[in-house]
Amino acid sequence: MKVCPFLPVPASRITAADAQMLDSTADAVTCYEFRLAYAQSKLADGLPAQAILQLNRAFSADLGPDAEILKRWPLPYAAVAWILDARPDRTGLFLGNPRRHWQHYATRMSGSLRELRIWRSWACCWLCHGRLPEDEFPFDQQQIEHEHIRIPHPDAVARQLDLQGMPGEARLWQEQLLTQ
């Protein structure tokens, strides 16, 4: 895949061993920037589904609202949209089903920043709408029916991002919705 303009380009290929070493020692800002660069590295390796997983980890970083890194590398909604727009069915690479992935991620969330991360997952799920054909990339209807899942409306997602997220986060996400 091409280089994503919304992610930092690492100086060299990043490996899983690099990630393990970093996660045990680094602060949230370092982890955030690392995960963004690792996503770019995964894209360079032809692994967009794994790049999405790294962006999930970046969304999990417990950054303060005044974190300087966000001026340089805003929350990666634009990177998610870019990956979806450059989807592998056009390039022959494996993407998986991002819509289903974020549905499962939102409904099985645990750990720190749980509520915010749920809303960020629904936000990413909505980025799939209009970008990925629903017949090829469907929701998990079985989970929806068996677990009585209610997919929140984009207005609810925006309200929650405004309440729980970083300053301007809802606007940042909505800009990507508007570019579909």
Side-chain angles (χ1 to χ4, degrees):
M1 288 186 89
K2 297 178 191 173
V3 171
C4 176
F6 305 107
L7 296 171
V9 177
S12 61
R13 185 175 178 275
I14 298 173
T15 67
D18 298 326
Q20 286 179 326
M21 187 182 332
L22 178 89
D23 282 344
S24 65
T25 61
D27 62 276
V29 171
T30 302
C31 284
Y32 176 75
E33 188 168 23
F34 174 84
R35 290 297 171 178
L36 296 178
Y38 197 11
Q40 186 79 270
S41 186
K42 290 294 186 182
L43 290 173
D45 289 345
L47 302 168
Q50 290 185 29
I52 286 173
L53 295 176
Q54 296 309 315
L55 295 179
N56 288 346
R57 299 286 299 271
F59 276 120
S60 298
D62 192 1
L63 303 170
D66 298 325
E68 285 294 314
I69 188 71
L70 294 173
K71 291 178 183 169
R72 199 169 354 123
W73 299 110
L75 290 168
Y77 293 111
V80 168
W82 186 91
I83 291 169
L84 297 176
D85 289 341
R87 71 178 180 270
D89 69 326
R90 297 176 182 165
T91 61
L93 302 174
F94 177 71
L95 181 63
N97 183 343
R99 180 177 282 129
R100 185 182 197 115
H101 163 76
W102 279 305
Q103 173 188 331
H104 288 176
Y105 204 60
T107 59
R108 291 176 170 86
M109 192 66 66
S110 64
S112 65
L113 303 176
R114 179 182 178 273
E115 285 298 314
L116 175 57
R117 291 170 51 226
I118 287 170
W119 290 106
R120 286 175 173 170
S121 296
W122 286 124
C124 289
C125 194
W126 274 105
L127 291 178
C128 296
H129 188 73
R131 285 189 162 86
L132 301 178
E134 198 166 343
D135 60 333
E136 292 176 49
F137 300 92
F139 284 108
D140 181 347
Q141 291 300 327
Q142 186 174 2
Q143 183 204 25
I144 289 170
E145 292 168 17
H146 286 98
E147 297 178 26
H148 308 288
I149 305 297
R150 296 186 68 173
I151 298 166
H153 190 274
D155 292 342
V157 173
R159 276 193 305 278
Q160 291 303 317
L161 292 177
D162 270 338
L163 288 171
Q164 299 181 40
M166 297 293 186
E169 182 170 348
R171 179 190 44 74
L172 189 67
W173 167 65
Q174 289 171 318
E175 287 172 359
Q176 296 310 309
L177 282 180
L178 297 175
T179 61
Q180 324 189 57

